[in-house]
Amino acid sequence: MQPQYYIGIMSGTSMDGADAVLIQMQGKQWQRAVAHSFLPYSDGLRQKLLALQDIGENELHRSNILAQTLSRLYAQTVQQLLTEQNLSAKDIAAIGCHGQTIRHAPEHGYSIQLVNLPLLAELTGIFTVGDFRSRDLACNGQGAPLVPAFHEALFQDANETRAVLNIGGISNISILPPDSPSFGFDTGPGNMLMDAWIQHIWRQPYDKNGEKAAQGKVLPDLLASLLDHPYFSRPYPKSTGRELFSLSWLQGRLEGNEKPEDVIRTLVFYTAQTIFDATKQAAPAHHLYICGGGIRNPVLMQDLETLFSPDTKLHSTAKLHLDPQWVEAAAFAWLAACWCNQVPSNPHHATGAHSHRILGSGHYGN
């Protein structure tokens, strides 16, 4: 059997842009991640997407226009990747596209990811798979997180329990025991609240290298108020998003006289603490492998090192041969390969779905 190429496209809760990762499979078997490409969101696009987090006028029209805009950006990201790798559309078996989450409401049986899949297939000329969450939701699952099955396929070890932590806008953990089903859940905010505060105060997209946080101190009363959120006491499987952890929610817990640097420092430690609490509750793991944008924040990584030491050693997923910035987009390429090979891919022990299901729906290219 000849190796096949798949492309995964991911735009996460941080809403910073579109990642595309090219992977190589041989039938159902993962071989390697080949290359990565990224196109950023404009400030205007990000603001329009953020506006859809709240009830507003003419939402249906705005959502559909933005879905087309996003799909054109995704197509450009795919073309950029193909050009850089000297490949053409006919070399790609399928695209797996997550889309941009704007509402996640599993308690109501839906999760909305903006993308126009037929348009993306038409623009790229490549068979396109998307809408990965709906089938899991229909099977009484949370529809999230979807990555534990991918983490299991790539990272599970026969001799030890491993944990894989993705710090995107939301943080999620996958627990990979050697002799029982893997599971996982959203631990709470990742970069999302930190980014929202940085954007609100300093008009910057994120706290580069943790520079603002390094100038502040943790505020114990604010930290205690944030940790009091009922999400953390809920049993897993569970998932969350901006609906629960928004800038307005944060502002409602501020006295109003806090130094901005102290707020961002507290938010960094808050993310670390909630990750630590959730991981220790889920299962003891001697090795925690980290991916996602949060790995680039040295203040956050130092907080995690302090909390987890000495029982758990922290590593980048690069130690397991996958760049930490590539993991999530690679997961959706893998999910597309699962769809094409008719392999069930929902991590139902993570989402709470009744059983395994083949995730996604497919659209032929031109």
Side-chain angles (χ1 to χ4, degrees):
M1 181 181 293
Q2 290 296 315
Q4 292 180 306
Y5 287 128
Y6 294 85
I7 292 175
I9 306 171
M10 177 67 188
S11 45
T13 319
S14 294
M15 295 189 179
D16 55 348
D19 287 283
V21 168
L22 177 71
I23 71 167
Q24 183 176 307
M25 301 280 292
Q26 188 157 20
K28 304 173 185 179
Q29 186 64 44
W30 168 274
Q31 291 193 313
R32 65 189 179 113
V34 179
H36 166 264
S37 192
F38 174 79
L39 283 179
Y41 286 174
S42 67
D43 289 340
L45 176 57
R46 184 184 301 110
Q47 291 307 315
K48 289 176 181 178
L49 290 168
L50 286 170
L52 284 175
Q53 301 294 316
D54 302 313
I55 296 172
E57 184 180 355
N58 214 10
E59 285 180 310
L60 292 177
H61 176 73
R62 289 189 290 129
S63 296
N64 279 280
I65 294 299
L66 283 173
Q68 295 176 55
T69 301
L70 284 169
S71 298
R72 295 182 190 281
L73 178 68
Y74 296 157
Q76 291 170 18
T77 313
V78 168
Q79 187 55 57
Q80 177 174 285
L81 182 60
L82 293 175
T83 300
E84 290 169 351
Q85 297 303 308
N86 196 28
L87 295 170
S88 66
K90 64 180 175 57
D91 296 314
I92 309 302
I95 290 170
C97 182
H98 173 262
Q100 179 66 63
T101 299
I102 56 166
R103 301 279 176 93
H104 182 65
E107 69 277 12
H108 297 297
Y110 74 87
S111 184
I112 300 174
Q113 285 72 46
L114 284 189
V115 60
N116 186 320
L117 294 170
L119 178 60
L120 181 57
E122 187 70 28
L123 291 171
T124 61
I126 301 170
F127 184 79
T128 299
V129 185
D131 191 23
F132 291 105
R133 301 190 187 275
S134 294
R135 189 62 193 273
D136 187 84
L137 285 157
C139 196
N140 206 39
Q142 292 271 315
L146 294 182
V147 291
F150 175 67
H151 292 161
E152 178 181 350
L154 266 66
F155 302 141
Q156 190 174 44
D157 186 89
N159 300 309
E160 65 171 352
T161 296
R162 288 177 170 176
V164 180
L165 169 67
N166 174 61
I167 311 174
I170 295 292
S171 292
N172 53 69
I173 191 83
S174 299
I175 306 297
L176 313 177
D179 51 6
S180 59
S182 301
F183 65 97
F185 55 94
D186 290 347
T187 66
N191 304 309
M192 188 173 63
L193 281 175
M194 295 185 281
D195 291 349
W197 184 250
I198 289 290
Q199 292 161 16
H200 175 65
I201 298 295
W202 287 283
R203 307 301 182 198
Q204 298 172 4
Y206 64 98
D207 188 13
K208 186 176 182 179
N209 298 321
E211 293 170 358
K212 299 295 185 185
Q215 299 171 26
K217 65 179 185 295
V218 176
L219 302 174
D221 290 345
L222 175 58
L223 178 63
S225 176
L226 298 175
L227 288 171
D228 194 43
H229 196 293
Y231 179 79
F232 302 114
S233 60
R234 283 172 46 191
Y236 54 84
K238 59 182 178 179
S239 56
T240 189
R242 291 182 184 273
E243 297 77 15
L244 294 187
F245 297 100
S246 64
L247 177 62
S248 60
W249 173 79
L250 168 63
Q251 290 171 321
R253 277 146 186 80
L254 299 176
E255 297 292 335
N257 57 355
E258 297 91 347
K259 290 175 58 178
E261 291 83 0
D262 292 344
V263 174
I264 188 63
R265 181 67 186 89
T266 304
L267 290 174
V268 173
F269 190 80
Y270 175 56
T271 291
Q273 185 70 60
T274 53
I275 288 169
F276 174 77
D277 292 345
T279 306
K280 289 302 180 183
Q281 175 195 3
H286 295 302
H287 297 278
L288 176 65
Y289 296 88
I290 303 175
C291 58
I295 200 170
R296 294 179 294 186
N297 186 326
V299 180
L300 175 59
M301 294 305 296
Q302 183 56 60
D303 282 348
L304 288 170
E305 288 275 4
T306 301
L307 288 167
F308 277 98
S309 180
D311 298 327
T312 302
K313 296 187 182 302
L314 308 188
H315 315 276
S316 164
T317 55
K319 189 169 184 178
L320 300 177
H321 313 295
L322 188 54
D323 188 297
Q325 303 300 320
W326 296 18
V327 175
E328 275 206 296
F332 286 94
W334 179 83
L335 284 167
C338 289
W339 193 97
C340 291
N341 288 281
Q342 292 296 280
V343 175
S345 56
N346 68 323
H348 68 285
H349 292 285
T351 65
H354 291 319
S355 61
H356 285 303
R357 292 291 185 269
I358 297 169
L359 301 183
S361 59
H363 301 266
Y364 286 96
N366 52 33

